[in-house]
Amino acid sequence: MHLPRVATGLAGLLGISKPALTPRQFEPDSTVYVDAETGLTFASYTSDRSIIFRVAIPDVIPADFIYDTILQIVAPIDVGWAGFAWGGHMTYNPLGIAWANGKDVVLSPRIAYGYYSPPNYTDSHYTVLKTGTHVNATHFQVTAKCSGCSSWGDESIGISNIDPEYQTTLAYAYGNTKVDTPGDVQSTFGIHDSLGHPIYDLAVAKNADFANKVAALAEGKPATGGGEGEVCKAEE
């Protein structure tokens, strides 16, 4: 059983999604991943299409649950687009949609309201980290800080947030068809081919000195320390 933590006001009536949170009594779908390239510790999940969705967070979470998060997506190069939903459903919550554009990766903040290409979402912002973002012959990878992905909504519809002290159901989707205009961050694209709702244990994804580490990665500085190897290595 998934036990939602937040009060929702009109959210339930409107069908607005919120992260489903569970006590720590089930085995999560995510696993711990220490990334050698960025030095960050993630909660990581791999989909049936071999797309990897990882989340990292600070070690200190404020009482209002407004904090920056890190999203890392690693996808086979033939995936048209890969999307991540912070609220556990593909509608009415912050999304991050990633696709390859030549040797670059585009990450677009979106919000979906139905079965059509989701519009831009102005209440969240992604800062792509130079360290941890690249394309090679087999995969594309993006690592980005999101501001506005841990808490969303308003007083009229209710505030939803992500509390890492609970296991959290997040969501992903992907499409095999390329987006219509790869060089445009607001490109339209077709409906997903598949989606899923894995349970993440974000308590294992906490990172000390989070802000300083992320600032260094944004500038392209290398990580310090060990970690696991990458599926998507930058081409030399």
Side-chain angles (χ1 to χ4, degrees), residues 27-150:
E27 190 72 22
D29 299 306
S30 65
T31 58
V32 181
Y33 181 83
V34 181
D35 183 12
E37 184 180 14
T38 64
L40 297 174
T41 299
F42 291 89
S44 178
Y45 174 79
T46 303
S47 78
D48 59 349
R49 185 66 163 82
S50 298
I51 306 171
I52 305 169
F53 298 92
R54 298 180 179 135
V55 176
I57 61 174
D59 62 337
V60 178
I61 304 299
D64 61 5
F65 297 105
I66 298 175
Y67 55 94
D68 290 337
T69 57
I70 298 294
L71 173 63
Q72 185 178 84
I73 298 175
V74 185
I77 197 67
D78 61 344
V79 169
W81 58 268
F84 190 78
W86 295 93
H89 297 276
M90 300 312 295
T91 54
Y92 293 96
N93 69 107
L95 309 178
I97 311 296
W99 62 84
N101 176 37
K103 292 299 183 182
D104 298 320
V105 184
V106 177
L107 180 59
S108 181
R110 304 292 181 106
I111 189 167
Y113 300 107
Y115 288 102
Y116 49 87
S117 186
N120 187 56
Y121 183 54
T122 58
D123 288 342
S124 67
H125 175 74
Y126 286 98
T127 301
V128 174
L129 308 184
K130 292 181 180 179
T131 301
T133 300
H134 35 71
V135 181
N136 64 22
T138 61
H139 290 79
F140 66 87
Q141 174 177 308
V142 62
T143 308
K145 178 184 75 173
C146 184
S147 301
C149 288
S150 68

Side-chain angles (χ1 to χ4, degrees), residues 33 80 100 120 164 179 182 186 200 215 218 224:
Y33 181 83
N120 187 56
V179 304
Q186 298 190 40
Y200 278 70
T224 58

Side-chain angles (χ1 to χ4, degrees), residues 177-216:
T177 303
K178 302 295 184 182
V179 304
D180 297 322
T181 313
D184 182 1
V185 71
Q186 298 190 40
S187 176
T188 54
F189 51 89
I191 194 169
H192 56 263
D193 287 294
S194 185
L195 55 80
H197 306 87
I199 297 175
Y200 278 70
D201 184 358
L202 296 181
V204 305
K206 292 183 177 181
N207 290 264
D209 199 26
F210 181 85
N212 288 330
K213 289 179 179 177
V214 171

